[in-house]
Amino acid sequence: FDLLAFLLISYDSFFILYCFFFFFKQKTAYEMLRSLVGSEMCIRDRSKEDQDKLCEWLKEVLGDKVQAVRATGRLVDSPSILVNHESSVMRKLSKLQNMPMGTRQELEVNPSHTVISLLNDLRQDEAHQELAGQVADQLLDNSLLAAGVLDDSRSMVQRLNVLLESCLKAHKPAQ
């Protein structure tokens, strides 16, 4: 009898879970919780054309540091990620052997992230083109650092100091 009761309870629990997942399977993550920034619906909020223009601009600014820049929907908390890059060990080995390494690393950006959205607005303002370029370079360096393949952090630190200075100047309290 205990086994029969266990099976009935297990079947009921399974049925409830099945109904729960079936119900939520019909909804996107965006519809269930609108604060999820990585969902497909959030990404569709920005027009495809706007995303393409931003990616083209980023590729132009970053030059041959990256092979391609594209928008992605798989990022949630990060503004960008580096993909298709060589490991840090391979990079060090190629440097030791004086072998040139081709750039095949690609940058994927999350168009729903606040940093990317603000960068997109900033790049369209002619008065802030230099700042937007610095932010784009910093975005790439952050991705390189997160991937563990940043070769030299000195330029990144200098750029960070410039960005911090401009941020603090913009929010300087009135005296």
Side-chain angles (χ1 to χ4, degrees):
F1 180 73
D2 290 337
L3 181 60
L4 182 61
F6 174 74
L7 289 175
L8 286 175
I9 292 171
S10 296
Y11 178 75
D12 288 344
S13 300
F14 174 76
F15 182 73
I16 291 169
L17 283 174
Y18 176 78
C19 290
F20 178 78
F21 285 117
F22 180 77
F23 172 75
F24 284 110
K25 182 181 175 191
Q26 304 303 316
K27 296 181 178 289
T28 64
Y30 185 73
E31 292 168 330
M32 287 189 287
L33 182 62
R34 294 187 190 278
S35 64
L36 290 176
V37 294
S39 69
E40 277 187 298
M41 291 297 287
C42 283
I43 290 169
R44 283 190 225 134
D45 287 348
R46 271 215 187 268
S47 73
K48 178 75 171 136
E49 181 182 320
D50 200 27
Q51 291 176 21
D52 290 343
K53 285 181 183 177
L54 173 65
C55 291
E56 287 172 16
W57 177 82
L58 281 168
K59 173 61 181 135
E60 181 184 315
V61 169
L62 298 174
D64 33 334
K65 296 178 190 173
V66 293
Q67 183 178 3
V69 178
R70 67 177 168 267
T72 184
R74 67 185 180 124
L75 297 173
V76 177
D77 295 329
S78 303
S80 64
I81 188 171
L82 195 69
V83 295
N84 296 336
H85 59 83
E86 288 85 10
S87 69
S88 59
V89 173
M90 288 300 294
R91 286 174 173 245
K92 289 176 185 175
L93 285 174
S94 67
K95 278 188 179 180
L96 287 174
Q97 297 176 355
N98 291 327
M99 292 176 57
M101 292 199 63
T103 304
R104 49 173 257 236
Q105 60 195 16
E106 300 173 4
L107 186 68
E108 290 186 355
V109 295
N110 177 2
S112 299
H113 196 277
T114 306
V115 171
I116 301 299
S117 180
L118 291 172
L119 176 60
N120 191 30
D121 295 341
L122 191 65
R123 77 167 176 91
Q124 296 173 14
D125 185 3
E126 290 296 323
H128 295 100
Q129 287 294 309
E130 183 181 347
L131 178 61
Q134 289 173 339
V135 172
D137 283 331
Q138 188 60 47
L139 199 62
L140 175 62
D141 281 353
N142 289 355
S143 298
L144 288 166
L145 183 64
V149 293
L150 182 65
D151 292 329
D152 186 15
S153 62
R154 290 178 287 190
S155 64
M156 183 181 90
V157 171
Q158 290 173 345
R159 186 179 328 99
L160 266 176
N161 288 334
V162 170
L163 290 171
L164 286 171
E165 184 180 325
S166 68
C167 179
L168 292 172
K169 282 181 182 177
H171 297 293
K172 186 178 179 181
Q175 293 181 358

